[in-house]
Amino acid sequence: MPQLNKLRSALAARSGEGATTPSAARLRAALTVFFALDGFVFAGWVVRIPAIKHQIGAGTSALGLALLGVSAGAVITMTLTGRLCRRFGSHAVTVVCSVLLALSVSLPAQARSASALGLVLLLFGAAYGGMNVAMNSAAVDLVAALRRPVMPGFHAAFSLGGMAGAGLGGLVAGGLSPSAHLLLLAGTGLLVTAAAGPVLLRERRAAEPPVARSAPGSGAPGPADGGRAGAGARRTVILFGVIALCTAYGEGALAEWGALHLAQDLHAGPGPAAAGYALFALAMAVGRFCGTTLLERLGQTRTLVAGGATAAVGMLFGALAPTVPLALAGFVLAGLGLANIFPVAVGRAGEVAGPSGVATASTLGYGGMLLGPPVIGFLADWFSLPLALTTVTLLAAVAAVLGHGARHAAHTGG
């Protein structure tokens, strides 16, 4: 991976231990800011969906089709961003995608029809998907250079950014129009990118590699190429991508159906019903802040297995508990369990195959987040919502089993 070798070279020139250099600390702080910004901007858009639905006069089905633009744009771009990162570097692609994300978040408020909304959301989704792959690729390189499993901390910043974006959006929704709010988000995104972006670009320039790539035809993979991404590496990437999918399925399901389950099946009031997902998201953020410590003490395999098992037990309570407090406790347990599985899976895929591995695992994971809500909806129609939510338990258990099966891949990469 080019950024890994560049960063290692730059850090090694200043100190024998990358984790203690000011360069690494600045880079880690800048990447954390970008993860938080990504969550903040996306959540700020999400809370204005009802107002924009009213603005364009769209029905539920028309709005649903328009919202697919975000998913389509993200998935299409995720499959291409790995190549862009290999060519131009993950740092540069992160900065460019952050600018595009900030600019495109203002466009939905200008739409006057469902079809126009779908088109602008394609652009927004493309920027969002590209930024996710690029910043995760940059984070994978930094994790390797620091020689510490700090990937969960970046994802904790994303979770907190999302909570801040949703909370602030809720507060200003009554006083600001969607257009003014989204323009404010755009300006914030551009200002933050202008402040943090030069750090990423400067570190990239400062890390020009003194180590040459492997000569063509030598048979040895170069540091940048995907030469390691043979059949064994591809299988490993797919394995960790499926683990990410199992985790993201639960996140998507709880985001869309958690409040309805509490209100409809357990007769919770509006406050407790809304608190369900908030507690789940807060538990995920807390779990991710503790993720580095867990990984250092337990290792990747035990963290994956323990997380999947904890999430399975928690969601079983969340889905089937007869009272609101027990269900809320189950949501918290599920959030703690799921917290570190996605970061570990995406990080490991990146270690194996660089930006292409991150792209593949992220695409699979994002697919799980998209798959969860409609699957839960169909199963709820056929059976019941509590029973449908137990599929989150099932997939969390699958993630635990796959995590245990990946114990050799976690060390060998194949």
Side-chain angles (χ1 to χ4, degrees), residues 68 70-72 74-76 78-79 128-129 133 241-253 342 346 358-376 395:
L68 284 176
V70 178
S71 308
V75 170
I76 291 170
M78 282 178 170
T79 61
Y128 177 72
V133 171
V242 172
I243 292 173
L245 183 153
C246 292
T247 305
Y249 175 95
E251 291 186 53
F342 190 95
V346 171
V358 173
T360 299
S362 297
T363 303
L364 285 169
Y366 195 78
M369 188 170 290
L370 299 177
L371 183 67
V375 168
I376 296 291
L395 288 187

Side-chain angles (χ1 to χ4, degrees), residues 102-157:
L103 293 175
S104 61
V105 76
S106 65
L107 298 179
Q110 311 308 316
R112 293 296 178 265
S113 68
S115 57
L117 179 63
L119 289 175
V120 299
L121 288 181
L122 274 173
L123 298 176
F124 179 70
Y128 177 72
M131 185 171 174
N132 272 270
V133 171
M135 66 185 184
N136 272 290
S137 297
V140 167
D141 293 340
L142 181 59
V143 166
L146 293 174
R147 300 180 183 179
R148 290 194 68 210
V150 297
M151 180 67 90
F154 295 123
H155 287 259

Side-chain angles (χ1 to χ4, degrees), residues 306-384:
T310 301
V313 172
M315 200 56 222
L316 200 60
F317 272 92
L320 303 180
T323 65
V324 172
L326 282 176
L328 291 176
F331 283 10
V332 169
L333 202 58
L336 290 173
L338 293 176
N340 294 303
I341 301 178
F342 190 95
V344 169
V346 171
R348 182 56 192 143
E351 291 171 17
V352 171
S356 295
V358 173
T360 299
S362 297
T363 303
L364 285 169
Y366 195 78
M369 188 170 290
L370 299 177
L371 183 67
V375 168
I376 296 291
F378 284 124
L379 291 176
D381 283 340
W382 294 338
F383 303 103
S384 68

Side-chain angles (χ1 to χ4, degrees), residues 13 18 21 24 27 29 39 46 96 116 133 136 148 156 160 179 220 236 247 269 277 279 286 297 299 315 318 342 346:
T21 64
L27 186 53
V46 166
V96 171
V133 171
N136 272 290
R148 290 194 68 210
L160 289 181
S179 179
T236 300
T247 305
Y277 181 70
L279 288 173
V286 171
R297 292 185 178 181
M315 200 56 222
F342 190 95
V346 171

